[in-house]
């Protein structure tokens, strides 16, 4: 049992090309989390986005587009807190403290940095290397207990847990002395919520590669703003193997493309892979793809249309982000005040009056 009240936090980078993997692995699950009796915070992580160069004008549009995707998918900005990271300064402040808690050896093991930096490691930004520390700060500024993410974020969530644990240990006496020990340290050991049939949606062109925003082939992903015809064309062109669908999940082993399409179908329909194979086992891909097109268009076409409507009025989105930032800061500011006390900083007191 933890002493922490349940609080859900997650984020999406405004790096363009929001796709079906982002929707099924993250955004759709954010919507479902609203049914829990917990405060949910959903953040457009623009400070993470600039770890790789972004065109400034495009970035502003992409921040509004991710916000629109949240709203169009069903996140209620009154019930949940929807905001962009750079409007809440506590994320950066806490990241600095965590830079002094996290160990170099921990970051050296992060596979996402290795993948994104590629061979030209010396030329990668320091921000890209430090990305997981900022992510820990995003989560722990709110002392979040649960984080719904796709499987690719598992290692970063483990680092968040390590940082929380080390902070709690390194400062245990000070935490107690300042009256912040709630029976389980100052920071919770956050639970990652990873799972379901779409925890890792794969490329439509190669079932061994993650569906990704940065894939050069637009046919590798279904973008959330694709219209019905484009969705249908991409599904029909998706790579498959020559065999019919198996009747049991075990039959998907060694068939990454088949496994991926069945997983996507299951996630869109809120059922399991077993359920899908019970209904479609033995079907040829041509028939199964027809059913998948129908399901994907039914879900995604209205979502894309609503996103386009919302981004056409940036003032409404900006007002939602401003309101969200204010409410987020009201939670994060007391956390940072406590952190400053715990690590031994002198906080700003009342100013001396000029005489
Ligand atoms: N293919 C995926 N399947 C399931 N979940 C996914 N997510 C991303 N791709 C998939 C989840 O979406 C959330 C937001 O991701 P992000 O925007 O923060 O960054 P990302 O993981 O870098 O997205 P991409 O598409 O993979 O971008 P690039 O091409 O830059 O690598 C997260 O919860 C993530 O797990």
């Amino acid at each position: 049992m933890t002493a922490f009240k349940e609080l859900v936090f997650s984020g999406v980078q405004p790096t363009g090309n929001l796709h079906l993997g982002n929707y099924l692995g993250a955004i759709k699950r954010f919507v479902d989390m609203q049914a829990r009796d917990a405060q949910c915070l959903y953040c457009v992580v623009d400070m993470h986005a600039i770890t790789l160069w972004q065109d400034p004008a495009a970035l502003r549009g992409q921040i509004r587009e991710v916000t629109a995707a949240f709203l169009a998918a069903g996140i209620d900005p009154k019930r949940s807190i929807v905001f962009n990271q750079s409007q809440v300064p506590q994320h950066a402040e806490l990241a600095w403290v965590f830079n002094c808690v996290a160990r170099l050896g921990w970051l050296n093991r992060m596979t996402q940095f290795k993948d994104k930096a590629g061979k030209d490691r010396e030329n990668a930004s320091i921000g890209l290397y430090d990305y997981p520390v900022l992510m820990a700060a995003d989560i722990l500024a709110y002392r979040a207990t649960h984080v719904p993410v796709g499987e690719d974020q598992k290692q970063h969530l483990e680092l968040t847990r390590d940082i929380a644990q080390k902070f709690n240990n390194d400062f245990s006496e000070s935490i107690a002395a300042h009256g912040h020990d709630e029976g389980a340290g100052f920071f919770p050991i956050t639970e990652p919520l990873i799972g379901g049939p779409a925890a890792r949606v794969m490329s439509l062109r190669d079932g061994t590669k993650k569906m990704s925003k940065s894939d050069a082939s637009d046919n590798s992903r279904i973008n959330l703003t694709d219209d019905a015809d484009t969705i249908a064309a991409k599904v029909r062109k998706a790579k498959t193997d020559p065999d019919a669908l198996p009747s049991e999940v075990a039959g998907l082993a060694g068939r990454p493309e088949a496994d991926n399409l069945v997983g996507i179908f299951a996630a869109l329909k809120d059922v399991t892979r077993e359920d899908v194979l019970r209904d479609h086992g033995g079907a040829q891909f041509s028939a199964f793809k027809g059913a998948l097109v129908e399901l994907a268009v039914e879900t995604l076409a209205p979502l894309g249309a609503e996103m386009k409507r919302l981004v056409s009025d940036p003032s409404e989105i900006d007002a939602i982000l401003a309101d969200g930032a204010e409410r987020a800061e009201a939670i994060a500011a007391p956390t940072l005040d406590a952190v400053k006390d715990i690590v031994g900083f002198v906080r700003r007191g009342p100013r001396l009056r000029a005489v």
Side-chain angles (χ1 to χ4, degrees):
M1 270 292 284
T2 114
F4 296 95
K5 196 163 175 275
E6 186 171 304
L7 188 145
V8 176
F9 177 94
S10 199
V12 174
Q13 293 189 77
T15 38
N17 294 336
L18 268 185
H19 54 70
L20 185 64
N22 299 129
Y23 175 66
L24 295 177
I27 300 171
K28 181 175 188 292
R29 298 175 60 230
F30 299 174
V31 178
D32 298 342
M33 298 295 293
Q34 295 185 121
R36 287 165 92 120
D37 182 24
Q39 177 67 69
C40 300
L41 290 106
Y42 296 124
C43 185
V44 184
V45 287
D46 46 9
M47 287 159 61
H48 281 281
I50 62 162
T51 58
L52 296 171
W53 192 83
Q54 304 293 324
D55 175 78
L59 179 60
R60 265 187 288 279
Q62 287 157 196
I63 292 167
R64 292 179 179 129
E65 189 176 87
V66 174
T67 312
F70 286 174
L71 304 175
I75 293 172
D76 172 359
K78 293 205 171 68
R79 167 153 176 51
S80 298
I81 298 178
V82 174
F83 69 109
N84 61 312
Q85 190 183 23
S86 61
Q87 288 201 43
V88 181
Q90 286 77 12
H91 292 243
E93 278 190 281
L94 187 58
W96 183 258
V97 175
F98 286 170
N99 276 334
C100 304
V101 173
R103 305 290 94 180
L104 212 54
W106 299 358
L107 284 191
N108 284 339
R109 286 195 284 277
M110 296 295 116
T111 55
Q112 183 172 292
F113 174 75
K114 290 178 193 162
D115 293 344
K116 292 207 168 175
K119 290 201 177 72
D120 198 9
R121 215 183 131 108
E122 295 294 307
N123 211 21
S125 74
I126 294 168
L128 187 65
Y129 184 74
D130 204 30
Y131 183 115
V133 177
L134 178 59
M135 183 166 155
D138 298 337
I139 295 165
L140 294 174
Y142 305 96
R143 300 209 280 171
T145 54
H146 293 81
V147 178
V149 278
E151 201 177 84
D152 58 331
Q153 294 301 322
K154 187 164 184 259
Q155 195 184 34
H156 289 167
L157 259 301
E158 280 160 11
L159 189 103
T160 297
R161 291 162 66 93
D162 289 343
I163 290 175
Q165 188 86 62
K166 189 166 186 319
F167 184 95
N168 288 345
N169 289 343
D170 288 357
F171 296 102
S172 59
E173 281 177 23
S174 186
I175 290 168
H178 283 91
H180 293 302
D181 191 344
E182 299 177 15
F186 181 69
F187 286 118
I189 309 303
T190 306
E191 279 300 322
L193 299 174
I194 301 171
R200 192 172 179 82
V201 176
M202 309 307 275
S203 156
L204 298 180
R205 307 302 305 156
D206 176 353
T208 64
K209 262 173 60 185
K210 191 182 80 137
M211 185 178 284
S212 153
K213 295 170 184 151
S214 56
D215 195 313
S217 161
D218 195 56
N219 281 332
S220 70
R221 63 180 164 263
I222 295 175
N223 300 307
L224 297 189
T225 46
D226 282 344
D227 60 22
D229 289 345
T230 311
I231 296 170
K234 287 180 176 177
V235 171
R236 291 198 194 284
K237 271 192 217 142
K239 187 177 167 199
T240 48
D241 58 44
D243 297 332
L245 279 180
S247 304
E248 309 218 332
V249 172
L252 293 171
R255 299 179 63 187
E257 284 83 17
D259 185 50
N260 190 36
L261 294 186
V262 170
I264 290 172
F265 194 103
L268 281 169
K269 211 166 175 199
D270 270 326
V271 297
T272 63
R273 277 182 169 75
E274 284 81 358
D275 296 328
V276 177
L277 294 180
R278 198 172 310 117
D279 293 343
H280 296 274
Q284 295 298 326
F285 273 108
S286 50
F288 182 63
K289 280 180 171 177
L292 182 55
V293 165
E294 206 174 300
L295 187 58
V297 167
E298 192 181 289
T299 312
L300 299 178
L303 192 147
E306 178 62 0
M307 280 173 68
K308 283 179 193 151
R309 189 192 70 77
L310 286 164
V311 291
S312 71
D313 181 6
S315 62
E316 189 187 331
I317 290 186
D318 293 359
I320 287 171
L321 291 173
D323 173 65
E326 214 169 284
R327 287 153 65 207
E329 190 164 357
I331 304 174
T335 310
L336 261 292
D337 284 350
V339 166
K340 287 174 186 174
D341 290 342
I342 290 166
V343 302
F345 292 163
V346 175
R347 277 204 277 136
R348 187 193 293 172
R351 286 166 203 255
L352 281 180
R353 275 224 197 91
V355 273

